[in-house]
Amino acid sequence: MADFLAKPGVVQADIIAVQEPWENPYNDTTYHPLKQTHELLFPSSAETGSRAREVRLQTGVGEVSFFNIYNECGTTGTVEHLNRLLDSRRKHTMIAGDFNLHHPAWGGIEASQDPGSDKLVELCDEADLDLWLEPGTVTRDQNGEQTTIDLFFGTPDLTERLVVCELAPDCHADSDHLPIRVLLDVDPQPPTETQKRRLWKAMDTEKFDVFVADNLPKPPQLTTPRQIDDAVDHLIDIVQRGVHESTPWAKPSPQANPSWTKECGEAVKHSRRMFRRYIATHSEEDWQTYKLARNQKGRVIKAALRRGFRSFIEDAVDQGPQGLWRVAKWARSRGQQQGSTMPALKTADGSADADTDTEKVKLLRKVFFPQPPEADLSDVHTSQERQGHANRRQQLRLPPVNVTEVRAAIKKAPPNKAPGYDALPNQVWRILAEPDSRSEKRFVPLLAAIFDALTLRKAGPRDYRVPKSYRPVALLNTLGKVLEAVVATRIAWCVEEYKLLPRTHLGGRKGVSVDHAIQLILGRVHQAWGEGKIASMLLLDVAGLGALTPWAQSFLTGRSTRIKLPNGHLSDPFPTPTGIPQGSPISPILFLLFNAPLIRACTLRGLHHGESEAYGWVDDVCILAISNSYEENVQLLEKALQKAASWASKHAAKFAPDKFELIHFTNPKSTTTATTTTTTTDGVSPRSVDIWEVPDDPSGYNGMPVIILGDPILTILAPSDIAKYLGV
């Protein structure tokens, strides 16, 4: 402990939790050299029982209960004792300790499972605890045995304030256990101004429809972009004024429930009136009347909540698998709120930290909307040649958009999705698009081009000082999304009717799910095994977007974005010349068309030593190589990577080789034994050194890496035993 407590990183900590400390045999204490900076809290010898100690701390977020525990190997006594301690609900709880229990939930999918580890899993479920350490992180390394038994848990409200939970190798000192560093932001945050919202359930639809019909003129002939912009602005202004006249402001409450009805409110009011009458008279008759009203109130509320929940489940079932996934997401996140804190962000080179809101927005803008590399246009014809080539191509002509298509797109859009900067949800357009609406014939949906990007934390244990630990969620104007949905439907029809996409480009297409993609890949692997061949797969990570068609070019240009931080800070609009609007109905199909040439380029056939086939799911691409040997598979994958690099240079796209994954599939029924050799990691090509254990084996081995050519250095990608594709 002396060496450990002398580390600068340990001395800087506010709390140092130690399990199995050295015990002084002469008095109730342990080694404590930090008397100037830290207070020692050590149990006395009179205390017996389980090794679980609780410390309550007063912080900027209120009282925090911190448990430091040690669980003996092969037992669950401490876990059971901790369960009893947590019976009294605590709002803020942290638990750290050596649990000596193995389970895939925290040890990774390859970890073993101890008989008593389920009790800890049940404890986390009952106490609503989140695991802060990334699953699979090795916390104990002894004699080549690596396990995850030192864990850190916290309640969801503290999880939103978690900055990082990671190993601290700079604090390690002669122990088989690795220290864990946790940074938590518990400073009180200034109250953020709650954005006002409308109570749409109380909207007077008749009054709204009449107002819009009286103030919205007949649609003029629109021929120029300026006329379209002016018509859109005027329409939104009229609708917003109609909302102001017909819809009251909501009064948000943490106790609000969407299943609450007017009958519930009336029952509550009646019960309160009866109670006030009893307080005034204290008569037996008034008491009995109050009891009847109180019991009736309970029955009314219970029935309303039951109907609301059953309706929620029925709607989810009607939506199919997507609805069930939404229910699962709701169950995991209910009672939790998105954190309003964001720590100082680190720059890529680590030279400085972004502390102010302006600096954070500037750094997030670089990460969310990076400048693409310059595209290689050497193969592009001159403008005159390109125009002549376009005239010779077959043009797909479609009839003008009609009212039926617009009404269908509005009806299909979810009514309560988060709106864009104009704060108008889809249900407003539903009212105007009804056939019996007074303003239906004057309602012309047009495209709006500015959107807000709400910054949210990515799920899972991460270092939230890194900008890539956040993701933008674009809040697009619902009016523009209506027109985009119509165009997306038409493009999707053309894609399927004229077979514009490769057969293996599956994501974002109607009637195709992740299961189809996985089964298609597995079927091809098993077919290769049946033919006595070997299969290998390389997973790519693709980003970027280029111009597609004149319409798409106009759709993707002239856009601007505002970044909204968790604390409510909203930046000024800035241009976003790259990428596609996340959340737009048309974005998936545009991206499919954008990277379809990549799928075709990476599919290699007619080669004498094998073939490769690329599979795509929107921006997730994998390449499956099949041949007679591992060596030939590696050659196929490297050749496909060269084709992919050529595509990226022409389309101003980027790859992230550090996110690539390689897996060599091993046939469990194969009678041959593959030879495995450790690959080099010093930057030298494995094929330039003597790596063969069996020199005369021409088939290679199942540990062969793929060499990814790069500028200025190459990357050696070693295969892994397990690879995750599309979450499977």
Side-chain angles (χ1 to χ4, degrees):
M1 282 182 59
D3 189 16
F4 171 71
L5 294 175
K7 299 285 185 180
V10 176
V11 177
Q12 294 173 0
D14 295 311
I15 301 175
I16 307 171
V18 181
Q19 296 83 39
E20 295 186 285
W22 173 78
E23 298 181 13
N24 192 317
Y26 302 104
N27 51 36
D28 294 334
T29 187
T30 185
Y31 182 72
H32 180 34
L34 304 179
K35 296 181 177 63
Q36 301 295 326
T37 57
H38 291 74
E39 183 73 22
L40 175 64
L41 301 177
F42 192 77
S44 65
S45 59
E47 297 183 54
T48 59
S50 178
R51 300 188 184 183
R53 296 293 177 267
E54 178 185 6
V55 178
R56 298 190 180 183
L57 311 169
Q58 291 297 332
T59 68
V61 297
E63 185 179 82
V64 176
S65 296
F66 179 80
F67 291 89
N68 182 27
I69 72 102
Y70 174 76
N71 185 65
E72 292 281 357
C73 292
T75 68
T76 58
T78 303
V79 177
E80 295 169 1
H81 179 61
L82 190 59
N83 196 6
R84 291 190 293 271
L85 292 175
L86 293 177
D87 278 346
S88 56
R89 293 288 180 177
R90 295 165 171 81
K91 185 176 181 181
H92 307 294
T93 303
M94 295 187 299
I95 303 175
D98 179 2
F99 287 86
N100 281 311
L101 293 172
H102 303 85
H103 194 281
W106 51 81
I109 58 177
E110 294 184 333
S112 59
Q113 181 172 343
D114 292 338
S117 59
D118 285 336
K119 292 186 177 181
L120 181 55
V121 175
E122 294 171 0
L123 170 65
C124 294
D125 289 339
E126 294 174 0
D128 198 16
L129 297 174
D130 297 329
L131 176 65
W132 287 1
L133 192 66
E134 184 177 0
T137 303
V138 176
T139 62
R140 183 174 182 268
D141 191 346
Q142 184 181 30
N143 295 330
E145 182 182 0
Q146 297 181 334
T147 57
T148 305
I149 56 177
D150 303 289
L151 307 173
F152 211 112
F153 298 96
T155 47
D157 45 358
L158 291 180
T159 302
E160 299 298 343
R161 292 178 170 269
L162 177 65
V163 177
V164 65
C165 180
E166 62 183 2
L167 295 179
D170 56 307
C171 300
H172 183 249
D174 299 331
S175 173
D176 56 341
H177 293 263
L178 304 177
I180 300 173
R181 177 189 291 114
V182 176
L183 298 181
L184 197 67
D185 184 2
V186 293
D187 291 334
Q189 299 295 324
T192 57
E193 183 179 353
T194 304
Q195 185 176 3
K196 296 176 65 177
R197 61 181 181 85
R198 297 285 181 177
L199 185 60
W200 298 107
K201 293 172 62 175
M203 182 181 190
D204 188 340
T205 56
E206 180 69 19
K207 185 176 181 180
F208 169 72
D209 189 21
V210 171
F211 181 91
V212 175
D214 292 343
N215 291 273
L216 188 64
K218 291 184 178 181
Q221 188 70 25
L222 305 178
T223 57
T224 65
R226 179 59 182 271
Q227 290 176 338
I228 295 176
D229 290 340
D230 293 341
V232 167
D233 293 339
H234 182 65
L235 172 62
I236 291 178
D237 179 63
I238 294 298
V239 172
Q240 287 177 333
R241 287 165 52 192
V243 168
H244 179 74
E245 294 291 334
S246 62
T247 310
W249 290 105
K251 299 178 181 179
S253 169
Q255 286 78 35
N257 191 304
S259 302
W260 192 267
T261 63
K262 291 183 178 180
E263 290 75 13
C264 296
E266 292 297 330
V268 170
K269 292 178 180 178
H270 179 64
S271 175
R272 290 175 178 173
R273 283 196 300 268
M274 295 302 100
F275 183 72
R276 288 195 295 267
R277 178 185 297 178
Y278 165 73
I279 292 297
T281 64
H282 284 89
S283 67
E284 181 65 24
E285 182 181 355
D286 288 340
W287 171 253
Q288 294 300 328
T289 305
Y290 162 66
K291 285 180 60 177
L292 291 175
R294 182 188 61 186
N295 295 340
Q296 178 65 17
K297 176 194 69 174
R299 287 191 292 269
V300 170
I301 293 176
K302 184 177 180 180
L305 296 181
R306 181 170 59 247
R307 286 194 303 268
F309 183 73
R310 288 179 177 177
S311 177
F312 171 65
I313 297 298
E314 289 173 0
D315 292 342
V317 173
D318 292 340
Q319 295 172 9
Q322 185 178 10
L324 295 179
W325 279 114
R326 288 175 179 171
V327 172
K329 182 179 179 181
W330 166 82
R332 288 194 302 268
S333 60
R334 60 176 175 172
Q336 302 181 24
Q337 296 181 351
Q338 179 68 21
S340 60
T341 62
M342 177 183 287
L345 302 179
K346 297 188 296 186
T347 57
D349 55 4
S351 59
D353 291 341
D355 296 316
T356 65
D357 291 338
T358 303
E359 293 173 343
K360 292 176 182 178
V361 167
K362 185 178 180 180
L363 188 56
L364 290 172
R365 176 182 173 182
K366 292 180 180 179
V367 175
F368 293 163
F369 311 101
Q371 288 295 329
E374 186 175 352
D376 180 9
L377 304 178
S378 58
D379 62 334
V380 177
H381 305 288
T382 63
S383 59
Q384 294 81 3
E385 293 174 340
R386 188 164 60 251
Q387 183 65 33
H389 180 67
N391 292 334
R392 291 192 299 270
R393 288 185 300 178
Q394 179 185 4
Q395 299 294 320
L396 303 179
R397 299 190 179 277
L398 298 175
V401 176
N402 55 52
V403 176
T404 303
E405 288 182 274
V406 174
R407 189 182 292 121
I410 294 175
K411 185 176 181 180
K412 186 178 179 181
N416 299 317
K417 294 285 286 186
Y421 77 97
D422 59 9
L424 296 175
N426 285 317
Q427 70 182 80
V428 171
W429 312 120
R430 283 192 173 190
I431 296 172
L432 298 179
E434 288 294 332
D436 57 351
S437 170
R438 292 181 174 85
S439 50
E440 187 268 338
K441 295 185 181 301
R442 300 182 181 183
F443 171 52
V444 182
L446 298 172
L447 183 65
I450 186 171
F451 64 90
D452 293 345
L454 181 62
T455 305
L456 300 178
R457 288 185 171 199
K458 292 182 179 179
R462 298 175 181 270
D463 185 351
Y464 292 106
R465 298 168 297 179
V466 179
K468 289 189 177 182
S469 295
Y470 301 86
R471 61 185 177 92
V473 175
L475 301 180
L476 301 171
N477 276 350
T478 54
L479 177 61
K481 293 171 72 172
V482 170
L483 179 57
E484 293 166 26
V486 173
V487 177
T489 301
R490 290 181 163 222
I491 295 178
W493 180 86
C494 293
V495 164
E496 301 299 339
E497 180 70 17
Y498 297 98
K499 295 180 174 55
L500 303 180
L501 292 177
R503 181 182 63 88
T504 55
H505 208 357
L506 304 170
R509 301 173 73 172
K510 189 174 183 179
V512 181
S513 67
V514 172
D515 290 340
H516 292 94
I518 297 299
Q519 292 301 325
L520 191 63
I521 295 173
L522 291 179
R524 188 66 186 93
V525 171
H526 283 276
Q527 180 184 352
W529 287 348
E531 298 171 352
K533 297 184 178 181
I534 294 175
S536 303
M537 186 170 68
L538 179 66
L539 308 182
L540 309 181
D541 187 86
V542 190
L545 180 65
L548 300 170
T549 65
W551 183 91
Q553 184 175 5
S554 64
F555 168 69
L556 296 174
T557 55
R559 296 182 296 113
S560 60
T561 305
R562 299 182 298 180
I563 292 181
K564 186 175 183 180
L565 299 182
N567 63 0
H569 174 78
L570 185 63
S571 71
D572 295 329
F574 56 86
T576 50
T578 62
I580 55 180
Q582 183 266 343
S584 169
I586 204 171
S587 295
I589 192 66
L590 289 184
F591 202 95
L592 293 182
L593 293 170
F594 167 67
N595 65 355
L598 172 64
I599 305 297
R600 296 190 181 96
C602 294
T603 299
L604 306 177
R605 303 188 186 279
L607 304 179
H608 69 281
H609 54 276
E611 64 180 24
S612 70
E613 189 166 30
Y615 297 83
W617 188 272
V618 191
D619 59 341
D620 290 317
V621 177
C622 73
I623 306 172
L624 185 65
I626 296 175
S627 69
N628 295 318
S629 67
Y630 294 110
E631 173 71 19
E632 292 176 346
N633 278 356
V634 168
Q635 293 177 3
L636 284 168
L637 293 176
E638 291 179 349
K639 187 175 183 63
L641 280 176
Q642 294 175 7
K643 298 281 188 180
S646 175
W647 170 86
S649 65
K650 295 176 182 178
H651 292 76
K654 289 183 178 180
F655 289 104
D658 57 321
K659 295 183 180 180
F660 287 9
E661 290 185 274
L662 171 65
I663 183 171
H664 295 301
F665 294 103
T666 303
N667 187 355
K669 296 183 179 180
S670 175
T671 57
T672 60
T673 303
T675 305
T676 303
T677 305
T678 303
T679 59
T680 61
T681 58
D682 56 359
V684 180
S685 171
R687 281 170 231 157
S688 64
V689 296
D690 185 15
I691 61 173
W692 300 102
E693 292 187 3
V694 184
D696 58 349
D697 184 2
S699 64
Y701 60 103
N702 62 359
M704 292 193 68
V706 167
I707 299 178
I708 305 173
L709 300 178
D711 186 16
I713 60 175
L714 54 83
T715 301
I716 300 177
L717 180 64
S720 58
D721 296 331
I722 298 175
K724 181 174 288 189
Y725 182 60
L726 303 181
V728 180

